[in-house]
Amino acid sequence: MKRWVRPFFATARLWLRFMATDRFMLFCVFFQPFFIAVTVMYMLRHQPSFDPVYVVVGSGLTGIWSVVLFDGTWAVQSERGYGTLELVVGSPASMAAIVAGKLAAGVVFSLTSMAFCYGIGAWLFGYEIAVREPAPFLVALVLAIVSLGAMGVLLAPLAILARAIGRFFTILEHPVYIFGGFLFPILLLPGWLHPVSYALPPYWAAVALHGTSSGDLGGVELLGVCAALIGSSVACILLALPFFRLVERRARVDGSLALT
Amino acid sequence: MPAIVLDHVRRVFHTSTGLIRRKHKDVIALDDLSLDVGDGELFGLLGPNGAGKTTTIKILTTLLIPTAGRASVLGHDVVRETGEIRPRIGFVFGGERGLYYRVTGRDNLEYFAELYAVEPRRIRARVDELLALVGLTDRANEKVEGYSRGMKQRLHLARTLLHNPPVLFLDEPTIGLDPIGARELRETIERLHEEGKTIVLTTHYMFEADALCDRIGIINEGKLVALGTPGELKRLVSEKSVVEIETFGAGDAQLTRLRALDFVASVAVERRELRQLLRVQTELGERAVPRLVAVLDGLELGRVAVREATLEDAYVHLVGRLE
């Protein structure tokens, strides 16, 4: 409890304040989804099957995913940059809880990008945007952000354990937009690539959010998608914990907690 | 039972350079270091840069694992029992880093109070109390990025006291502070010592160690070269006097000639812009002055004085002898 819950919420609170003044995060959350939403709405506005809520949800997902990816990859490194890594590792708090708190803050903060994209669609393009199944959509939203946050928690120690690979994690940003089906259905991809999407938690997050917002997903199918989100969250956290222990052990052996 | 025990601790850092034909090198930071610190003791750890002081502190604060040997804090092993040690210690590493700059000093303290599981309803009062202790009450709600170096140092000290730990590790806590700020910090350290806390202090300021510490360990190149009270260490050079000679333009050649004299125990140089202050330890006292001046013939000399040896002279004697 003391090692996990309080550090988690304290870090989330602190990081929300940090993000509100971080220009890069503001870019991820507002400007990038803005350009994506405007471009896609402009491109598809004459399509008969165009559904603006799909674009709002998809653009919002791009903002959430960007924050998760960059926050997860840099969660530990940023502490090293501030010179606080030794202080948080040397405290009784769990490093995994601290990273999870950061990601929770990032995901909550990035939810504003979905609201921002809604505003673009409603006020700039004049669409009537309505979520058709509000209650299932809210459940799907909570599970989606938990799932994406959990994936970020897994990325954090991996980015440290394999630094050379960790640097390349950031190039996952745009492929996941496509494989996750954020803005276009993965049916547009060749069938042999579909298993890649199925293996990604962001894909199930997109299915849940798109499905409940359009009203196409319900009953057993919805339960199945929710189970996939819960399962992937648990799997990511369970995988991350031994990696965090390994990161700390290796850092204590190598003496790599400080920059100097 | 001692609060802190280092038992034949060795720490080696592996480094490598090059891309294809990588060259590996081992740097020995600590070499068979053994010492203990008593409960409630204020122990000073002195040594030149790279001697192993910070490595020692990092091992004791569970941030580094020794390559060989054992270390314990309050009876708990620093490698295996980190969960027992971390809530019971506090540590400060000298310098300005280690704070969240974009939030206030109060935010920093409240955050670390949560990480250290300070009782929630006590956090605000405890933070206020510590801000007052380190003289930051008036600036508590300003962002840390606007703090001076001294204010950041004081905030570090407040952070380390949040959970009222019985053992403190202070690694050069007064570095970079103005004289008044450093004196106030030393007074705070004295008060903490009086409260019964066990404190390990590293510093480059000999007068600070002399004034504060119950015992001092001097390490050089990872080895313990002397251990004792400030008085015991000073007695190592009590039979020697120090001749201080101010020179203009003294170079390596003159220093080498001085060190070669059979009655000279050590020579330390403090450079002050165009001047150099040479501190020569010798058993001859005033009688050495004419012979020393003769060696420096041709150089412009300033003040020449003879005085009794201090802890700093003992340190120079011990560390300089090994160079």
Side-chain angles (χ1 to χ4, degrees):
Chain A
M1 174 76 177
K2 285 178 182 173
R3 289 192 64 226
W4 292 87
V5 179
R6 288 182 61 190
F8 172 82
F9 285 109
T11 307
R13 280 200 303 273
L14 185 79
W15 232 246
L16 273 174
R17 291 182 194 183
F18 254 67
M19 287 183 165
T21 57
D22 186 334
R23 287 174 191 159
F24 182 70
M25 284 299 161
L26 293 174
F27 174 83
C28 286
V29 169
F30 292 111
F31 289 98
Q32 185 168 273
F34 170 81
F35 286 121
I36 290 173
V38 168
T39 306
V40 175
M41 284 183 191
Y42 187 78
M43 282 166 59
L44 300 182
R45 68 192 189 285
H46 297 308
Q47 293 282 330
S49 60
F50 174 58
D51 184 359
V53 76
Y54 195 97
V55 179
V56 167
V57 169
S59 306
L61 271 170
T62 64
I64 297 172
W65 169 244
S66 296
V67 170
V68 163
L69 184 65
F70 291 117
D71 242 17
T73 307
W74 291 100
V76 179
Q77 287 288 29
S78 63
E79 294 289 340
R80 185 182 273 135
Y82 290 121
T84 48
L85 186 57
E86 288 180 314
L87 306 183
V88 296
V89 170
S91 77
S94 155
M95 190 67 203
I98 288 169
V99 169
K102 282 185 171 189
L103 282 155
V107 170
V108 168
F109 191 66
S110 61
L111 280 179
T112 52
S113 66
M114 202 173 278
F116 187 61
C117 294
Y118 175 90
I120 293 166
W123 297 312
L124 198 63
F125 286 86
Y127 294 123
E128 279 186 28
I129 302 171
V131 171
R132 289 167 189 93
E133 299 286 350
F137 178 80
L138 277 178
V139 173
L141 185 62
V142 170
L143 292 178
I145 61 177
V146 169
S147 169
L148 291 173
M151 192 174 173
V153 173
L154 177 59
L155 287 176
L158 290 179
I160 299 297
L161 286 171
R163 274 189 207 180
I165 299 170
R167 290 188 190 122
F168 293 102
F169 277 173
T170 49
I171 64 169
L172 290 175
E173 188 184 18
H174 291 94
V176 169
Y177 291 173
I178 297 165
F179 285 105
F182 288 180
L183 292 159
F184 304 97
I186 65 161
L187 290 172
L188 297 173
L189 296 172
W192 57 272
L193 280 175
H194 290 180
V196 176
S197 296
Y198 301 152
L200 294 172
Y203 166 75
W204 297 104
V207 169
L209 291 174
H210 284 314
T212 52
S213 61
S214 64
D216 295 339
L217 191 67
V220 178
E221 274 183 332
L222 178 60
L223 287 176
V225 172
C226 289
L229 288 172
I230 293 167
S232 66
S233 304
V234 172
C236 284
I237 296 293
L238 289 180
L239 273 172
L241 291 178
F243 283 132
F244 271 108
R245 282 194 288 273
L246 190 59
V247 163
E248 185 186 325
R249 176 84 188 178
R250 190 184 276 188
R252 291 173 69 207
V253 169
D254 296 343
S256 56
L257 287 169
L259 272 179
T260 52
Chain B
M1 188 178 71
I4 295 166
V5 176
L6 287 153
D7 183 17
H8 298 288
V9 169
R10 182 178 166 83
R11 172 69 210 200
V12 180
F13 288 98
H14 305 285
T15 60
S16 59
T17 54
L19 272 178
I20 299 168
R21 289 184 181 176
R22 291 181 76 81
K23 289 181 181 171
H24 296 273
K25 186 182 168 190
D26 284 348
V27 177
I28 300 170
L30 291 180
D31 190 5
D32 199 34
L33 182 69
S34 294
L35 57 86
D36 53 50
V37 178
D39 190 22
E41 187 176 16
L42 203 168
F43 186 87
L45 205 51
L46 305 184
N49 290 332
K53 303 185 296 292
T54 300
T55 301
T56 306
I57 297 274
K58 288 191 176 177
I59 286 173
L60 292 171
T61 51
T62 76
L63 299 173
L64 273 179
I65 290 177
T67 310
R70 289 169 55 82
S72 66
V73 176
L74 298 171
H76 300 290
D77 185 86
V78 297
V79 177
R80 292 177 285 108
E81 298 176 282
T82 56
E84 298 295 327
I85 294 175
R86 288 175 180 172
R88 293 174 173 83
I89 64 169
F91 55 92
V92 172
F93 295 122
E96 298 180 60
R97 298 176 72 246
L99 293 164
Y100 297 104
Y101 281 16
R102 290 209 301 265
V103 294
T104 67
R106 181 182 294 281
D107 289 335
N108 271 273
L109 293 185
E110 288 181 352
Y111 177 61
F112 279 99
E114 294 282 357
L115 298 195
Y116 277 91
V118 175
E119 201 182 335
R121 61 184 174 184
R122 281 272 304 138
I123 287 179
R124 183 156 280 274
R126 182 68 179 152
V127 166
D128 285 340
E129 185 184 326
L130 290 170
L131 285 167
L133 178 79
V134 299
L136 286 175
T137 302
D138 294 341
R139 306 286 298 271
N141 296 320
E142 293 176 23
K143 285 185 181 176
V144 171
E145 62 192 4
Y147 281 17
S148 67
R149 183 177 184 142
M151 290 165 71
K152 288 172 191 161
Q153 290 279 86
R154 285 184 274 151
L155 189 62
H156 273 304
L157 187 66
R159 172 190 53 74
T160 207
L161 296 173
L162 280 164
H163 54 301
N164 198 19
V167 180
L168 292 173
F169 297 93
L170 309 177
D171 191 8
E172 301 184 19
T174 55
I175 193 167
L177 292 187
D178 62 68
I180 293 171
R183 189 171 67 188
E184 286 172 356
L185 196 58
R186 280 195 291 276
E187 286 168 0
T188 306
I189 293 169
E190 271 182 322
R191 277 205 299 278
L192 295 168
H193 181 215
E194 284 163 11
E195 286 173 17
K197 293 193 187 300
T198 305
I199 302 172
V200 176
L201 170 77
T202 78
T203 179
H204 280 296
Y205 306 126
M206 298 300 142
F207 70 95
E208 188 169 278
D210 196 3
L212 292 174
C213 298
D214 298 320
R215 281 193 310 146
I216 290 170
I218 297 180
I219 56 176
N220 191 29
E221 295 178 353
K223 291 179 189 290
L224 186 70
V225 295
L227 181 67
T229 64
E232 286 168 347
L233 294 179
K234 276 186 270 191
R235 278 197 286 280
L236 291 174
V237 288
S238 63
E239 75 280 12
K240 296 185 178 66
S241 299
V242 177
V243 181
E244 291 186 340
I245 308 171
E246 193 177 51
T247 66
F248 296 85
D252 289 342
Q254 285 88 1
L255 295 175
T256 305
R257 285 209 298 275
L258 281 177
R259 287 183 173 123
L261 295 171
D262 57 359
F263 60 90
V264 169
S266 68
V267 180
V269 186
E270 186 181 327
R271 299 186 189 280
R272 297 173 174 177
E273 296 179 353
L274 297 174
R275 296 174 297 155
Q276 302 86 41
L277 181 65
L278 310 184
R279 292 197 181 96
V280 182
Q281 285 187 29
T282 173
E283 292 173 8
L284 296 185
E286 290 179 357
R287 287 179 291 137
V289 174
R291 295 171 68 181
L292 294 172
V293 170
V295 170
L296 299 171
D297 188 31
L299 284 183
E300 186 183 343
L301 300 184
R303 185 180 64 90
V304 178
V306 182
R307 61 167 176 77
E308 294 303 308
T310 62
L311 180 63
E312 182 167 346
D313 300 313
Y315 171 87
V316 170
H317 172 73
L318 288 160
V319 173
R321 190 181 58 191
L322 296 172
E323 285 171 347

